Amino acid sequence: MARRTLYLVRHGAADALGRLTDDGREQSRLVGRRLAREPIDVVWHSPLPRAAESARLIAAELPRVLVDEAGELVDNVPFVPEPEDIPPSWTGFFDGYDRREADAGRRTADASAARFGRPGGRDRRATHEVAVTHAYPIAWLVREALDAPPARWMPLAGVANTSLTVIEFDGGEAPNVVMFNDMSHLPAGLRWTGFAGGRRI
């Protein structure tokens, strides 16, 4: 199977209605400029507007590249632990999640891993794909690459807006997480998660 390099990008900073802010648009342009050094084939994005707009801004910095929606990248909670296994810092987060909702999130997460967490197709050409998505799907795909237990997505979920995570898939070998949550393309004032309690660094 062909080598596949997956560049995972969390969408830019967004307002309460899910639209990119000025900071979010600038973050997206900057990660696009960084990715312009790579031989990108396609930019996939979540159906949500903040990811779709980020993807368009990223692609505008790249030489003629396909931009397309991938429903599997939608924001979702990929795994809900049993109540006794929930870490103290997550207490309350899962309140109100019923089994049906948890199962739907897991199906979406597994579909994302099946589509994006594997080597490329049968042709021999290596592919370079950008997936603009959300913090939790990125955490799930990294957990999948590391073959970690399902609940390990939670410590990985503090992904910053437009940070870059890169995973390489090469045939039958274990996936290689090249980098995680890298923000070196962003100036200090734009490096932040956007989550409550998050700080700019």
Side-chain angles (χ1 to χ4, degrees), residues 62-135:
L62 307 175
R64 294 179 59 97
V65 64
L66 173 69
V67 180
D68 203 359
E69 181 179 300
E72 299 91 341
L73 295 173
V74 72
D75 200 7
N76 70 91
V77 173
F79 177 77
V80 178
E82 294 301 322
E84 63 272 13
D85 297 327
I86 296 175
S89 60
W90 287 77
T91 300
F93 178 83
F94 297 108
D95 286 352
Y97 270 86
D98 60 26
R99 181 46 47 197
R100 186 175 52 91
E101 195 173 14
D103 289 346
R106 181 63 185 265
R107 285 193 300 272
T108 300
D110 288 344
S112 176
R115 181 168 180 185
F116 292 101
R118 307 281 183 269
R122 297 195 180 279
D123 63 4
R124 297 192 175 273
R125 190 179 71 84
T127 60
H128 295 258
E129 301 170 64
V130 176
V132 182
T133 182
H134 310 272

Side-chain angles (χ1 to χ4, degrees), residues 152-177:
R152 295 300 295 165
W153 76 270
M154 291 183 289
L156 299 168
V159 180
N161 292 117
T162 69
S163 66
L164 184 61
T165 295
V166 181
I167 306 174
E168 292 176 343
F169 305 90
D170 198 359
E173 296 182 17
N176 180 24
V177 179

Side-chain angles (χ1 to χ4, degrees), residues 3-8 34-35 38 127-129 138 141-143 145-146 163-170 173-184:
R3 182 187 184 100
R4 177 188 220 174
T5 304
L6 182 65
Y7 305 83
L8 293 164
R34 179 175 180 179
L35 289 167
E38 306 299 330
T127 60
H128 295 258
E129 301 170 64
I138 291 172
L141 287 166
V142 171
R143 181 222 59 85
L146 296 173
S163 66
L164 184 61
T165 295
V166 181
I167 306 174
E168 292 176 343
F169 305 90
D170 198 359
E173 296 182 17
N176 180 24
V177 179
V178 177
M179 68 178 63
F180 174 71
N181 199 30
D182 186 275
M183 296 174 270
S184 60

Side-chain angles (χ1 to χ4, degrees), residues 180-199:
F180 174 71
N181 199 30
D182 186 275
M183 296 174 270
S184 60
H185 51 281
L186 298 173
L190 293 181
R191 296 179 186 181
W192 70 304
T193 66
F195 293 121
R199 61 188 180 90

